[in-house]
Amino acid sequence: METTKNNDLKNNGLNNDLNNDLLGVCYYPEHWSVEKWLADVKIMKDLGLEWVRIGEFAWSRLERKRNDFNIKWLREILDLFHEKNMKVIFGTPTATPPKWLIDQHPDILSVDQWGQVRQFGSRRHYCFSSLRYREEVKRLLSFLLKEIGSHPAIKMWQTDNEYGCHDTTLSYSSDAKKGFRKWLKEKYREIHRLNEAWGNVFWSMEYHDFDEIELPNLTVTEANPAHQLDFQRFSSDQVISFNKIQVDLIREHQSEAKITHNFMGFSFDFNHFKICKDLSLASWDSYPLGYLQNFVEDAKHKKKYLRKGEPDFQAFYHDLYRNLNGDFAIMEHQPGAVNWAKYNLSPTGKTLRLWVWEALAHGASFVNFFRFRQVPFGQEQMHEGLLFSNNEPNKSYHVVQEVAAEIKKVNLAKREHLAEVGIVFDYESHWIWKIQPQGENLNYFDLLFSWYQALRKKGINVDFIHPDFSNYRDHKLLIVSGLTRIDPRGLEVLNELACPVIIGPRTGNKTENFQIPPNLLLEELQSLLGIRIQGVETLPPEEEVSILREENAAFTRWREFIKVSEPETPNVPEASAVKISLKTFDDYPAFVEKGRFGYLAGIPNAALLEKILLKYLEKSNLTPLPLPDGVRLVKDKERSYFTNYGNKTQNLRHLLGSAKILLGSEEVSESEITIVETI
Amino acid sequence: METTKNNDLKNNGLNNDLNNDLLGVCYYPEHWSVEKWLADVKIMKDLGLEWVRIGEFAWSRLERKRNDFNIKWLREILDLFHEKNMKVIFGTPTATPPKWLIDQHPDILSVDQWGQVRQFGSRRHYCFSSLRYREEVKRLLSFLLKEIGSHPAIKMWQTDNEYGCHDTTLSYSSDAKKGFRKWLKEKYREIHRLNEAWGNVFWSMEYHDFDEIELPNLTVTEANPAHQLDFQRFSSDQVISFNKIQVDLIREHQSEAKITHNFMGFSFDFNHFKICKDLSLASWDSYPLGYLQNFVEDAKHKKKYLRKGEPDFQAFYHDLYRNLNGDFAIMEHQPGAVNWAKYNLSPTGKTLRLWVWEALAHGASFVNFFRFRQVPFGQEQMHEGLLFSNNEPNKSYHVVQEVAAEIKKVNLAKREHLAEVGIVFDYESHWIWKIQPQGENLNYFDLLFSWYQALRKKGINVDFIHPDFSNYRDHKLLIVSGLTRIDPRGLEVLNELACPVIIGPRTGNKTENFQIPPNLLLEELQSLLGIRIQGVETLPPEEEVSILREENAAFTRWREFIKVSEPETPNVPEASAVKISLKTFDDYPAFVEKGRFGYLAGIPNAALLEKILLKYLEKSNLTPLPLPDGVRLVKDKERSYFTNYGNKTQNLRHLLGSAKILLGSEEVSESEITIVETI
Amino acid sequence: METTKNNDLKNNGLNNDLNNDLLGVCYYPEHWSVEKWLADVKIMKDLGLEWVRIGEFAWSRLERKRNDFNIKWLREILDLFHEKNMKVIFGTPTATPPKWLIDQHPDILSVDQWGQVRQFGSRRHYCFSSLRYREEVKRLLSFLLKEIGSHPAIKMWQTDNEYGCHDTTLSYSSDAKKGFRKWLKEKYREIHRLNEAWGNVFWSMEYHDFDEIELPNLTVTEANPAHQLDFQRFSSDQVISFNKIQVDLIREHQSEAKITHNFMGFSFDFNHFKICKDLSLASWDSYPLGYLQNFVEDAKHKKKYLRKGEPDFQAFYHDLYRNLNGDFAIMEHQPGAVNWAKYNLSPTGKTLRLWVWEALAHGASFVNFFRFRQVPFGQEQMHEGLLFSNNEPNKSYHVVQEVAAEIKKVNLAKREHLAEVGIVFDYESHWIWKIQPQGENLNYFDLLFSWYQALRKKGINVDFIHPDFSNYRDHKLLIVSGLTRIDPRGLEVLNELACPVIIGPRTGNKTENFQIPPNLLLEELQSLLGIRIQGVETLPPEEEVSILREENAAFTRWREFIKVSEPETPNVPEASAVKISLKTFDDYPAFVEKGRFGYLAGIPNAALLEKILLKYLEKSNLTPLPLPDGVRLVKDKERSYFTNYGNKTQNLRHLLGSAKILLGSEEVSESEITIVETI
């Protein structure tokens, strides 16, 4: 059970009641002269930073040329941290193989979907499928483990850095092709099974041998979706096996090693659930203003949160990544303006403090700021740090000072997250949506985020549930939406559990092999829900399918034509009866209920989602809270955290009741937080 | 004379008075287990489908590996159809050469304009210029003809499938380069003639040998337009000669064989007039909702017809393709939602019935639905059929059932199309517009469609006239617009015929070799019209050139500065006098008339087009009908068909007079049709 | 001193008081039959055209195949011009190497940033770094110099044609890579110096040898900005050294030869200041309507000037290029509609005359129209000339006739430009902005143009100042904005000069090596201005940073967080005191003043720019003039030229006072000009 693992981890020192090790920083000793190191470590320690991540881009300094290692400087800085009793996270420097290595083995480079080799000169230029590179990684990491693997300062390992960043999960190299063929052979064993699984008779795409199979790029029109899905799975598996090489080597050296990887937001190209089976905990890199700029499309909404970030993006990923395997941390956190977003703004006032508390409220083991000091050169020179390059403190330095001090004043013991609702999240479903959206504006994340945000605006905590439902516990309501490919185990759980479930749309409408099940819906779901699906349509932005007799409620982007497959027996509320609760303007069932289950036959607009949600919250005995505009609430077993992302001060009296205030006050102003004993 | 051919064809059984063979379907026996075949054939027959197209993507099943043929299954299904007396159209499977063939001869693959080889994995991956592929096609087709060429079920052949689909007419392969050089050598014989024709002295582009000539892609800035035009012509000719290989083989086997190819809408890359010289009839694939989504830009207009299709697109192509060589059919018709448009909607109610009648009203020999049953795998798995993949009937099944029944009740003898107006259509002019639009929003199709739509909204039937005017008969009005390159024979006909003609803009302003004629206008046209052109300008969307004293009338996108080249003699209406009927706000002639001819010196906006059109309809003794919004009318010699694409029921009393109603009623509701004896 | 050179040049006959040689034309004898030449020359001469440029695309006619030269025709046409006493500018035909040469040496071709070879078939297909091509250029030019270098008709040479057109400055060829490595080796000598300068320790980008360095394209994410900047500098230097080969050969032949190159508008990829050290004068190709279409984004503004051109674009480049090395000419001028803009309109009435006068008012030595006669073939067949291809005069012909006549009536002696304000312009700063804009809407040109336009709307003349300030003379006000990399010599001049200076934003915030200086600002600037910079942010279009107590004033796109680094002493106006004159809404200094200097901490919107400018004009004793909408004023030492780009007639009485009118009248109507004795 994941939560057990969580507890273990917390007992192992990753999260303790003294609040002593909740903050940290990313540091690059190789960027600075040795003379600065001692003073830097002192500044960190004095600021209350206990974690420090180093190493992840330093290959060219650790191994100047092949086997010309220089490990002395690394030992020195590790010693300095150890003297101060700081905890080092050592990032393996495999995201940036140096030029001498690329020149010796140019086949390490990855290839983009247009067939272009992705050249040396920035980062992440290697191909996950390069067997040569895997050997080189083993060689380097073995050496590092031998030399510094037992250094007492190192409390955690980070493998590589931001897998998949810059669209690097998929590579179309010759090694990838070889690897894919091998992967397919292992999966299907005989070519006729692959031909059947993929439906290759269509358009004469049949193969006689696995070695005939190409990568699914550069085709005249779209490649077979099953071909694409298997290539996406293969590519995801390559990330996982590449990562496992590092994990295995580290664990070989030290079986109890804590190992993590720093994930990103809006990164869905590889299966995070699967890779986390090999990791001790998840961590992620949180850049609220960057994500707002690059991923929010609604201009009005974007303007409102320009210097605070989208109020629910960070929470979404905190909740998702906490649920990967039970614990999570922030490995990099935006300190001020960054360099890589469309526009790079500076956070309002003490918004950084708000972000830190949001992460801690969601159960983050620690929050590392990226980065200690702004480096005056290279691609990220305009990315701020806690210090300017001349050592003067940036605004964020002072905010961190404040938050570090106040953290110690609040009792943060037992930050066990309290989630009442579960939303099933599935990377494969994301891939299926991406491969065949069936409409230009369709996106799996958007659909799930709309449910997440609606819940959070009502003060309801959420867990993300694995596609096999293995981490479903005692949630009072379950949302299963857009889960195109549903796991057989998931179907069993659905049958067994007792809580209300909102299902659909686009759930269970593909088989494992990207084929349509009969009636466009899996058999098991049909009997569970008492419906059949008879066609779908996708809607352009200017068109909605309105719901009969429900003002403003409508389907948007995607709707299904369903019929109830069993006789409807109105006014007879027995568990097995199918009831059409809502209809579309053109008289198709829009929301159908059978016992605990409700099936939604389209993507709901805000009004429809609200209506369904309120009904099912009530059914689940959950009470939505009237949170003021911009205010959000997170609860753990001991505390409730109110955060204000809005532009106005809000009074929380009606929400707090007599709860004891632990931090802040009844009036929560812009970018402020109020923590009370749990309400 | 094309109409003779037409009649021959109809006598040969492609169109008869019993209405027994007006519907059909596309079927892929290779997608389904043999056990289903018998039942499937029975369903088709019972539904009233007499035509069935098979075979066109089945190469991998017909020839497993080189010379490892399997023809048995094909014979079986042909026999089944023959037993039911159904008529098979056999599509040659050459659009999808299988992987074993590509692996043996990778030079078969085409190359895109960026120099990238277009890989195996979808369809249409071959290069029309590959001599190797032509040999392989001959080899396969010879075998098929020998084996099943005389099978009594086969009543028609379809060559390949949708030439040009996915931008495949132009290929930049090494074979294409060789072929182009040869083609040029045959055309120009001596290199100095090519240099002169292309004007290669410009920018030192002169060649000394045909083998120096490259394909016109990847140049620093645009390639010479004459170079581009010849490459477009060559590429069109390659499609035609590729097609002719198949036609010749089939005719060698059976000299009377009916042969067609299934064209597409919005496909202008090769010359359909020219290819139809080799075919028995044209056919095309009609997808009203897909075309609306992908080709209508006006958002309001698009929303209005979201689930019915643009009211005039289908009619446009029916009329265009009927005029290719006198007869046409619908080889594929959208049955419900498809998978490939930007958004994929489901047709409103019985709109499918409306579409079928629209096609028949325009003279279609038959209408085939694509496809019999939705296939649950492959790229088109979300493309609906008449049946769902589990054999349940889709909405379209029931509509087809209804339309099949009612067709038999209406006397459809002598569906000879009655077109009062001719619009000249020219593929070369389309290419010239595309190669040098001179303004970002200029498009030949848009201009012609605006005339077509205005006429159709007035209940006027249209024929499209070949660029050599060879199928001009007794049309009462001729529209010659945007015909940049005018055929010498066309000029003669213009001189000889007696009906009023609206000419211009952009007509006759290029020579055969993409050069500007003196005064930007061909000599012959100058004397015919009494004008000279002295410059043109193109207008951004925000600018129009208003017409003096004509409210709302204006030129848009393109205007010409013309002057009358002969003395104007007002108030003296003799045939040779030139009269400036309209002027622009800045005092240039906007519409000039001389005898039967009117010359329009710019692209008219809706108000100006309306004005000119009404005047010339009157001049031609044609009476525009006051059709209600959304209603259209098609007439053949015996019947008038009123179709309602609008959202409201419309009363037709004022239009019908005492005409006898053959189908429907005086009130025509949404998506309905009313057929009366010709009015 | 540049002005000396300027005077020399004018004395040498490029600009004289007889106004006899102010107009010219571009002519392509090779496009026309020999029979036409004599008449053509006569037409030119009669029209008042004294200059004629020929030759620049004629390689294929001058050297048919290697060493198969044909120089006879060239001598003939030169003789014809000489007989008429016309002055020939001979353009070296190196922009269009012919096909036979490319086939012999395909390595001459350039390579685009995606690694694609840019093929023969248009123009500018050579790579500046091709050593082979440089040899070929020398070979051809040596021959031409020997044959016609001393022909008395030739009064000026133009090297090549429009360097950089079609994005050709940067080439990613193998020769470019070799050349870049050599260039780096010469610059840094030792690899560790390059590693330090570029900060290659970041992301393990360190090199051990110059031969390891790749070109900065095709990287996974952005390449190191210092790497990009050096490649941009190298590429600029390649243009300069390529040009110098031609200059040296010509000067070797004739040491006093006048040599120019025809620059373009919106062309910043190579350093025009640097290349002009090798040229006698600058010239440029002015296409007002084309530039308006392609470079104005504000739709309302664009519509207003659709057929007149942006009122300040041409002036901007006249002023910039006049300041390159003291004299300039218009080598090509738009005569009517062109072919290459998004939309190609025809100029209103006699706007061409307005443009000619605008150029002359700014000091142009001559204005050449492009082109004599519209050529009916090739890529530019829709580009108008003074004559149509059939020799009929175009509208522009008559306008030129008029302007040629009136020029002779106005005393144009001593057209010495009178600029009161200097704006520093720096190509390297442009590159830095482009390489790391830090916000999607940031553009160096836009910022400088906003200052330029504001000044011009007030009737203030501007000089553009070199980045080393070497052509600063007696300007009364200096604008130093966006000068990210400030030259050490520039800093000295800033210290020494006596006039008020408006500095910032984004000035001095990068070192020579694209690194951030301490405090994001160069030390010297810090002490000069008394400020420190602590962070920047960039703003999306929907967000501004308003200025406290100044209605409508705001920063847009870019703002800096600054603090005064020295104690502020309000009310004590001593020179060294720092004063915060304006603050932002969030209480940061917005405009800080210290003595003569004002520092602006962001990009000003129109209202803020106006406010600062008016204050500093007053401080500089400059009086802004109340010019009517659309009216502009240019002054030289003897005359004031009022031009009206607006749509209404404007009365200038209040501006003219008692000044004597030399041309036009007090009322200046649309597209008209009024010249008076200097006001």
Side-chain angles (χ1 to χ4, degrees), chain B residues 438-464:
Chain B
Q438 183 73 1
E440 289 192 344
N441 56 3
L442 285 155
N443 184 294
Y444 178 65
F445 170 82
D446 287 351
L447 176 58
L448 262 57
F449 185 70
S450 69
W451 284 102
Y452 180 82
Q453 187 161 52
L455 283 158
R456 189 159 137 89
K457 279 181 171 175
K458 291 173 176 38
I460 310 284
N461 274 10
V462 171
D463 270 338
F464 286 97

Side-chain angles (χ1 to χ4, degrees), chain A residues 59 237 283 309 405 553 591 615 665:
Chain A
W59 191 332
D237 281 358
S283 66
F591 190 61
K615 181 175 184 180
S665 72

Side-chain angles (χ1 to χ4, degrees), chain A residues 281-394:
Chain A
L281 79 163
S283 66
W284 79 287
D285 298 347
S286 181
Y287 289 91
L289 300 192
Y291 291 145
L292 178 95
Q293 275 303 326
N294 290 6
F295 297 104
V296 170
E297 280 175 19
D298 177 336
K300 208 176 140 196
H301 187 69
K302 189 185 250 181
K303 182 164 166 59
K304 186 170 176 185
Y305 297 109
L306 221 39
R307 291 191 179 85
K308 303 208 188 85
E310 214 289 334
D312 304 304
F313 273 176
Q314 289 68 251
F316 182 97
Y317 290 103
H318 294 329
D319 284 336
L320 177 59
Y321 293 153
R322 185 189 60 247
N323 280 288
L324 290 178
N325 68 356
D327 196 7
F328 83 109
I330 307 301
M331 190 57 82
E332 301 182 6
H333 200 292
Q334 172 163 18
V338 300
N339 65 303
W340 50 263
K342 292 176 184 172
Y343 299 98
N344 295 292
L345 293 107
S346 195
T348 306
K350 292 189 281 184
T351 298
L352 175 57
R353 176 176 161 261
L354 182 73
W355 293 333
V356 171
W357 276 114
E358 182 83 58
L360 295 176
H362 281 268
S365 288
F366 57 82
V367 176
N368 274 2
F369 302 99
F370 183 90
R371 50 196 173 170
F372 182 65
R373 186 165 43 221
Q374 187 167 356
V375 70
F377 47 73
Q379 282 89 329
E380 291 182 346
Q381 58 184 263
M382 294 299 285
H383 190 303
E384 297 192 345
L386 301 182
L387 302 179
F388 289 110
S389 50
N390 69 344
N391 255 22
E392 282 188 75
N394 196 335

Side-chain angles (χ1 to χ4, degrees), chain B residues 114 204 206 208 212 214 218 221-222 224 436 438 440 510 514 516 519 532 534 537-538 542-543, chain C residues 57 59-61 64 99 116 119 121-123 303 307 338 342 344 346 376 379 381 390 392:
Chain B
W114 300 278
S204 275
E206 291 169 304
H208 297 291
E212 286 180 0
E214 309 288 341
L218 296 170
T221 182
E222 75 212 280
N224 190 327
Q436 279 205 344
Q438 183 73 1
E440 289 192 344
K510 294 290 168 191
F514 213 125
I516 300 176
N519 305 315
R532 333 232 6 192
Q534 303 216 308
E537 69 173 1
T538 54
E542 66 270 21
E543 180 76 0
Chain C
F57 294 124
W59 192 329
S60 74
R61 285 291 164 98
R64 216 186 138 273
K99 189 66 185 346
Q116 189 64 260
Q119 302 291 346
S122 60
R123 61 176 182 174
K303 180 161 168 62
R307 290 191 179 82
V338 300
K342 291 176 185 172
N344 295 292
S346 194
Q379 283 88 331
Q381 58 185 262
N390 69 344
E392 281 188 75

Side-chain angles (χ1 to χ4, degrees), chain C residues 405-675:
Chain C
E406 74 187 7
I407 279 174
K408 302 204 177 174
K409 294 180 197 154
V410 183
N411 176 2
L412 288 175
K414 298 180 189 154
R415 286 185 292 127
E416 200 165 329
H417 198 71
L418 200 73
E420 299 102 344
V421 175
I423 296 178
V424 179
F425 189 93
D426 179 36
Y427 287 89
E428 294 221 345
S429 293
H430 177 88
W431 302 338
I432 291 169
W433 280 61
K434 197 180 67 170
I435 291 169
Q436 280 206 341
Q438 183 71 2
E440 289 191 344
N441 57 3
L442 285 156
N443 183 293
Y444 178 64
F445 170 81
D446 288 351
L447 176 59
L448 261 57
F449 185 70
S450 69
W451 284 101
Y452 180 82
Q453 187 162 51
L455 284 158
R456 191 160 136 87
K457 280 181 171 175
K458 292 173 175 38
I460 310 282
N461 274 10
V462 170
D463 270 338
F464 285 97
I465 305 300
H466 291 216
D468 63 2
F469 291 58
S470 59
N471 67 331
Y472 174 80
R473 291 178 322 231
D474 51 0
H475 303 90
K476 293 177 182 162
L477 172 62
L478 206 52
I479 313 286
V480 183
S481 193
L483 189 67
T484 49
R485 186 217 53 121
I486 191 164
D487 194 285
R489 174 68 197 135
L491 280 166
E492 283 175 36
V493 176
L494 270 184
N495 238 320
E496 290 161 13
L497 55 75
C499 79
V501 187
I502 302 170
I503 300 189
R506 210 172 183 172
T507 291
N509 71 7
K510 295 288 169 193
T511 68
E512 175 70 15
N513 295 316
F514 213 125
Q515 299 204 3
I516 301 176
N519 306 315
L520 304 185
L521 192 59
L522 287 184
E523 295 273 346
E524 297 85 343
L525 269 182
Q526 283 181 46
S527 57
L528 210 65
L529 301 169
I531 57 163
R532 333 233 6 193
I533 293 184
Q534 303 217 307
V536 304
E537 68 172 2
T538 54
L539 307 166
E542 66 270 21
E543 179 76 359
E544 291 193 328
V545 169
S546 60
I547 304 298
L548 266 186
R549 284 180 293 277
E550 294 293 335
E551 209 175 347
N552 297 323
F555 287 144
T556 172
R557 292 183 277 174
W558 172 281
R559 64 92 61 109
E560 293 160 8
F561 299 96
I562 65 176
K563 63 172 186 177
V564 294
S565 57
E566 304 168 27
E568 193 183 355
T569 48
N571 306 321
V572 183
E574 54 170 302
S576 63
V578 184
K579 185 170 146 38
I580 298 171
S581 306
L582 294 173
K583 287 192 164 190
T584 62
F585 82 100
D586 52 358
D587 210 37
Y588 282 90
F591 190 62
V592 174
E593 298 182 88
K594 183 180 171 192
R596 295 179 291 116
F597 297 101
Y599 188 85
L600 196 51
I603 295 183
N605 69 356
L608 178 56
L609 192 152
E610 182 79 6
K611 185 185 164 56
I612 303 283
L613 185 56
L614 286 177
K615 182 174 184 180
Y616 272 68
L617 286 178
E618 195 182 342
K619 208 164 171 171
S620 309
N621 297 316
L622 288 167
T623 310
L625 291 181
L627 295 178
D629 180 55
V631 171
R632 298 291 187 272
L633 166 63
V634 190
K635 288 172 284 183
D636 65 27
K637 288 199 170 156
E638 307 282 330
R639 285 155 298 262
S640 293
Y641 309 73
F642 290 90
T643 52
N644 185 359
Y645 288 85
N647 300 322
K648 288 192 210 147
T649 297
Q650 302 286 0
N651 194 304
L652 306 176
R653 196 169 320 144
H654 63 298
L655 296 163
L656 302 185
S658 58
K660 185 183 163 195
I661 293 182
L662 303 174
L663 186 74
S665 72
E666 208 173 77
E667 296 251 309
V668 60
S669 43
E670 187 182 0
S671 298
E672 280 288 341
I673 180 161
T674 295
I675 310 179

Side-chain angles (χ1 to χ4, degrees), chain B residues 371-640:
Chain B
R371 49 194 173 172
F372 181 64
R373 185 163 44 222
Q374 185 166 356
V375 71
F377 45 73
Q379 282 90 329
E380 291 181 345
Q381 56 183 264
M382 294 299 285
H383 191 303
E384 297 191 345
L386 302 182
L387 302 180
F388 289 110
S389 49
N390 69 344
N391 253 22
E392 283 188 73
N394 196 336
K395 192 168 71 171
S396 55
Y397 176 93
H398 301 291
V399 179
V400 169
Q401 205 164 32
E402 177 175 343
V403 81
E406 74 187 7
I407 279 175
K408 303 203 176 175
K409 294 180 198 155
V410 183
N411 176 2
L412 288 176
K414 300 181 189 156
R415 285 184 292 128
E416 202 165 326
H417 198 70
L418 199 72
E420 300 101 345
V421 177
I423 297 179
V424 178
F425 189 92
D426 179 36
Y427 288 89
E428 294 221 347
S429 292
H430 177 88
W431 303 338
I432 290 168
W433 280 60
K434 197 180 67 169
I435 291 169
Q436 279 205 344
Q438 183 73 1
E440 289 192 344
N441 56 3
L442 285 155
N443 184 294
Y444 178 65
F445 170 82
D446 287 351
L447 176 58
L448 262 57
F449 185 70
S450 69
W451 284 102
Y452 180 82
Q453 187 161 52
L455 283 158
R456 189 159 137 89
K457 279 181 171 175
K458 291 173 176 38
I460 310 284
N461 274 10
V462 171
D463 270 338
F464 286 97
I465 305 301
H466 291 216
D468 63 2
F469 293 57
S470 59
N471 64 333
Y472 174 80
R473 293 178 318 233
D474 51 0
H475 302 89
K476 295 178 179 160
L477 172 62
L478 205 51
I479 314 286
V480 183
S481 192
L483 189 67
T484 49
R485 184 217 54 120
I486 193 166
D487 195 285
R489 173 69 195 133
L491 281 166
E492 283 174 36
V493 175
L494 270 184
N495 241 320
E496 292 161 11
L497 54 77
C499 78
V501 187
I502 303 170
I503 300 190
R506 211 173 181 170
T507 290
N509 71 7
K510 294 290 168 191
T511 68
E512 173 72 14
N513 295 316
F514 213 125
Q515 298 203 6
I516 300 176
N519 305 315
L520 303 184
L521 191 58
L522 287 186
E523 296 275 344
E524 297 85 343
L525 268 182
Q526 283 180 48
S527 56
L528 209 64
L529 302 169
I531 57 164
R532 333 232 6 192
I533 293 185
Q534 303 216 308
V536 303
E537 69 173 1
T538 54
L539 307 165
E542 66 270 21
E543 180 76 0
E544 291 193 328
V545 169
S546 59
I547 303 298
L548 266 186
R549 284 180 293 278
E550 295 293 336
E551 208 175 350
N552 297 325
F555 288 145
T556 172
R557 293 183 278 172
W558 173 281
R559 65 93 59 109
E560 292 160 9
F561 299 95
I562 65 174
K563 63 171 186 178
V564 295
S565 57
E566 305 168 26
E568 193 182 356
T569 49
N571 306 322
V572 182
E574 55 170 301
S576 64
V578 185
K579 186 171 146 38
I580 298 172
S581 308
L582 295 173
K583 287 193 165 192
T584 61
F585 81 100
D586 51 358
D587 211 36
Y588 282 91
F591 190 62
V592 174
E593 297 181 90
K594 184 179 171 193
R596 295 179 290 114
F597 298 100
Y599 188 85
L600 196 50
I603 295 184
N605 69 358
L608 178 56
L609 192 151
E610 182 77 7
K611 186 185 165 54
I612 304 284
L613 185 56
L614 286 176
K615 182 175 184 178
Y616 272 69
L617 286 178
E618 195 182 343
K619 209 164 170 170
S620 310
N621 296 316
L622 288 166
T623 311
L625 290 180
L627 295 178
D629 180 55
V631 171
R632 298 290 188 273
L633 166 63
V634 190
K635 286 173 285 184
D636 62 29
K637 288 197 169 158
E638 307 282 331
R639 285 156 296 263
S640 294

